[in-house]
Amino acid sequence: DTGVSQNPRHKITKRGQNVTFRCDPISEHNRLYWYRQTLGQGPEFLTYFQNEAQLEKSRLLSDRFSAERPKGSFSTLEIQRTEQGDSAMYLCASSLRGENTGELFFGEGSRLTVL
Amino acid sequence: DAKTTQPNSMESNEEEPVHLPCNHSTISGTDYIHWYRQLPSQGPEYVIHGLTSNVNNRMASLAIAEDRKSSTLILHRATLRDAAVYYCILRDVRGSNYKLTFGKGTLLTVNP
């Protein structure tokens, strides 16, 4: 499978714990995005990388959230001191700069439940 | 990003055509119209996009009004696998990061 891969697919944690999600984009894609989706809502943009540089962060990304893409390949999204309001699906997407449609390819997401 | 308006939900019957409307009265000249869909328990997937002319691909057709203030996604023969949330999104071609801003979309139910 050469699509966007996200791990873990499901994570249940207790409030106050830290969690980390990993995203492996399509190999030649230099753009990577993180989104968050709650029930009944469309995905909300969190942050964007071009190669290893984090170029945009939403104000939704509080200081408990940190995202990295150290070598311009895979990315991690860490949530510290989780709160119940962090329960959501976290989606990763990648795209290729310069590609005509600018199509974003999404992974299947990582579902977080904070108890 | 310019705003789009879609019905919350629509229903169709299997093997019949489906027309999903989208209003975008504040669209600018540099906004492309993109459609994505999200099947249950999956991430969104690209369906089609266009600027001014109608577009066809293997998944769907996109009909764009002459004044570009509205568009319609056409599924020619709906199948049960087309049941999904469909998002109409405007994206400025001048944007440097190709970020997509999703609304709530239209939940399409397909009846057997």
Side-chain angles (χ1 to χ4, degrees), chain A residues 9 31 33 35 37 40-43 45 48 50 56 91 99-104 106-108, chain B residues 32 34 36 38 41-46 49 87 91 95-104:
Chain A
R9 294 291 313 281
R31 293 178 167 178
Y33 309 78
Y35 283 80
Q37 186 172 27
Q41 305 295 316
F45 170 78
Y48 156 73
Q50 184 162 300
E56 185 173 349
L91 292 161
E99 195 277 321
N100 187 38
T101 68
E103 178 182 349
L104 268 62
F106 283 83
E108 293 187 315
Chain B
Y32 275 80
H34 287 251
Y36 280 70
Q38 188 171 20
S41 301
Q42 294 191 24
E45 64 174 350
Y46 169 83
H49 81 290
Y87 297 99
R91 192 164 76 182
S96 60
N97 63 23
Y98 288 98
K99 176 179 69 177
L100 295 175
T101 301
F102 291 81
K104 290 188 177 182

Side-chain angles (χ1 to χ4, degrees), chain B residues 9-72:
Chain B
S9 61
M10 290 186 65
E11 206 168 319
S12 86
N13 296 319
E14 199 175 10
E15 298 189 5
E16 290 184 356
V18 182
H19 291 233
L20 296 162
C22 181
N23 288 319
H24 28 78
S25 58
T26 60
I27 191 170
S28 75
T30 53
D31 283 329
Y32 275 80
I33 302 159
H34 287 251
W35 285 82
Y36 280 70
R37 72 179 186 180
Q38 188 171 20
L39 304 172
S41 301
Q42 294 191 24
E45 64 174 350
Y46 169 83
V47 177
I48 200 167
H49 81 290
L51 183 62
T52 55
S53 304
N54 295 345
V55 184
N56 300 298
N57 67 19
R58 63 175 179 81
M59 289 180 71
S61 295
L62 176 60
I64 301 173
E66 197 169 333
D67 63 5
R68 300 211 322 126
K69 293 183 185 299
S70 65
S71 61
T72 303

Side-chain angles (χ1 to χ4, degrees), chain A residues 19-35:
Chain A
V19 297
T20 299
F21 300 114
R22 176 180 170 125
C23 172
D24 287 274
I26 294 172
S27 60
E28 66 269 24
H29 285 185
N30 47 14
R31 293 178 167 178
L32 187 145
Y33 309 78
W34 284 99
Y35 283 80

Side-chain angles (χ1 to χ4, degrees), chain A residues 8-23:
Chain A
R9 294 291 313 281
H10 303 274
K11 178 72 176 178
I12 300 173
T13 191
K14 292 182 179 179
R15 188 175 48 151
Q17 298 296 304
N18 298 344
V19 297
T20 299
F21 300 114
R22 176 180 170 125
C23 172

Side-chain angles (χ1 to χ4, degrees), chain A residues 63-82:
Chain A
D63 55 7
R64 296 185 298 104
F65 288 69
S66 63
E68 294 183 343
R69 194 182 183 198
K71 296 183 180 178
S73 57
F74 74 91
S75 176
T76 58
L77 176 69
E78 181 183 16
I79 309 173
Q80 296 182 326
R81 305 181 303 281
T82 53

